[in-house]
Amino acid sequence: MESLDLPLIWAGMICFSVFAYVVLDGFDLGVGILSPVLAPGQERDQAINSIAPFWDGNETWLVMGGGGLLAVFPLAYAIILPATYPLMIAMLLGLVFRGAAFEFRWRDPAHQPLWDLVITVGSTVAALAQGITIGAILQGIEVENNAYAGGWLDWLSPFSVLTGIAVVIGYALLGATWLIRKTEGGCQRHAHRLAYRFGIATVAALIAVSLATPFLNHEYWRRWFEMPQVLLTAQVPLLVVLCTGVFFWSLRKGHELLPFLMALALFLLGFVGLCISIFPHMIPPSITLWEAAAPRDSQLFLLVGAVFIIPVILAYTGWAYWVFRGKVGTEGYH
């Protein structure tokens, strides 16, 4: 056990939790973002019904990732949170109001347009806050004496706004491809057209963020463009090109599942690119994984609990998706 690199293992587990959250909650936030462009009535009801059984369970992974960061990397948590307080507050408010609107939408049909608006605004605010947070971490956080040393609005920059918009567009793509898979008729045809548009927009946003990132820090530039690292990192943009080609081909051929899988693959490659840029730092450019980690005994104790908890979460998540498999209708909630 002494030879185990626990901070590295925990970093991998937290990355898995964060990506699981992005994958699972990303498509239901995307459906909420797309709600205004879907026709009121059956089309919009189908879309909301397609995410109703999953949206709250999907957010379990956000708790898992945030809780793991607090417990295992308390120094990183203590620095990132004050550096992004407005974003965290906005994200949580967006998720809370959105969740309440789901419940009220069917119980209070007289005000359904209001609840649909709340779902859209809550989804967009949550997605935008998550994207800006990624940009704020990537551009670096000012640290002095192991504490946040910046101001309330240091997270706000053209780059962080770009990453925020990119995440909103990407979630909309996930939502559109999810609707292709889960709906039929007019809603499916509309989602198909939206997937084309947001597919193009997502690739454009991915290119823009990728081109801007190396200019944030010379270390990022070195990892992406200097030999011999470039021989490894060049695989990421090559895979993006491949997945993009398969995505548009599958849309043209009328596949229902493959566009969603390719949209997820684009998110995974974007996430891998983020990890390549900042590793081994937890807080770029100054604090590494090992410097931010809790004492080894604490990490080991928590690891034993995580070994039991993560399979349980995976099991009930998989069971929920199996029970609610297939196409959705327009009646009722769930």
Side-chain angles (χ1 to χ4, degrees):
M1 297 292 278
E2 288 299 323
S3 61
L4 289 178
D5 190 339
L6 293 179
L8 193 59
I9 293 172
W10 266 108
M13 293 173 67
I14 290 174
C15 283
F16 173 77
S17 299
V18 171
F19 185 68
Y21 169 75
V22 168
V23 166
L24 296 177
D25 211 30
F27 74 76
D28 68 57
L29 286 170
V31 170
I33 293 167
L34 292 176
S35 181
V37 299
L38 300 173
Q42 288 193 355
E43 193 169 296
R44 195 175 295 175
D45 291 347
Q46 267 188 293
I48 298 298
N49 269 352
S50 75
I51 59 174
F54 310 114
W55 67 268
D56 45 357
N58 293 341
E59 291 170 4
T60 303
W61 293 102
L62 181 63
V63 177
M64 181 72 193
L69 187 68
L70 169 63
V72 184
F73 298 103
L75 178 59
Y77 188 89
I79 293 170
I80 292 174
L81 198 63
T84 57
Y85 267 140
L87 298 170
M88 295 299 105
I89 293 169
M91 180 185 73
L92 293 176
L93 286 176
L95 293 176
V96 167
F97 279 101
R98 172 176 169 270
F102 276 124
E103 306 298 332
F104 281 105
R105 188 177 189 275
W106 289 104
R107 288 292 184 181
D108 182 25
H111 298 96
Q112 199 172 80
L114 170 65
W115 303 125
D116 286 346
L117 177 64
V118 174
I119 290 173
T120 299
V121 173
S123 301
T124 305
V125 168
L128 190 64
Q130 291 170 16
I132 293 176
T133 300
I134 292 172
I137 294 172
L138 200 54
Q139 71 190 7
I141 295 176
E142 188 177 346
V143 177
E144 286 182 8
N145 300 320
N146 285 339
Y148 177 56
W152 268 77
L153 295 177
D154 281 10
W155 49 269
L156 185 60
S157 70
F159 178 77
S160 66
V161 172
L162 174 64
T163 55
I165 293 171
V167 168
V168 172
I169 292 171
Y171 280 177
L173 173 64
L174 285 178
T177 52
W178 170 259
L179 293 178
I180 292 173
R181 173 67 176 165
K182 294 293 289 184
T183 64
E184 51 194 352
C187 185
Q188 188 187 51
R189 289 191 293 276
H190 195 175
H192 197 272
R193 294 193 296 274
L194 290 171
Y196 260 113
R197 296 167 191 166
F198 281 101
I200 294 170
T202 298
V203 172
L206 200 55
I207 292 171
V209 173
S210 300
L211 290 176
T213 299
F215 293 97
L216 294 172
N217 186 312
H218 178 69
E219 186 63 20
Y220 297 167
W221 175 277
R222 192 184 65 77
R223 286 176 191 167
W224 284 100
F225 294 110
E226 287 189 0
M227 291 289 284
Q229 299 94 313
V230 68
L231 297 177
L232 179 63
T233 56
Q235 308 309 311
V236 176
L238 290 175
L239 287 172
V240 168
V241 172
L242 177 63
C243 291
T244 302
V246 175
F247 171 77
F248 286 109
W249 173 83
S250 63
L251 276 182
R252 192 167 58 251
K253 292 294 183 181
H255 290 280
E256 293 189 346
L257 178 59
L258 196 53
F260 181 63
L261 296 179
M262 288 301 101
L264 293 181
L266 290 174
F267 262 85
L268 175 61
L269 291 168
F271 193 69
V272 169
L274 169 68
C275 293
I276 288 174
S277 294
I278 68 173
F279 183 82
H281 289 100
M282 199 77 184
I283 310 288
S286 53
I287 296 180
T288 66
L289 297 176
W290 299 273
E291 291 169 337
R296 183 177 178 82
D297 287 347
S298 299
Q299 295 178 60
L300 194 58
F301 175 77
L302 293 164
L303 184 62
V304 173
V307 167
F308 289 99
I309 291 173
I310 290 179
V312 170
I313 299 174
L314 287 172
Y316 75 65
T317 301
W319 173 249
Y321 279 81
W322 172 256
V323 169
F324 292 99
R325 66 189 182 279
K327 301 289 186 182
V328 296
T330 59
E331 296 298 325
Y333 178 58
H334 290 207

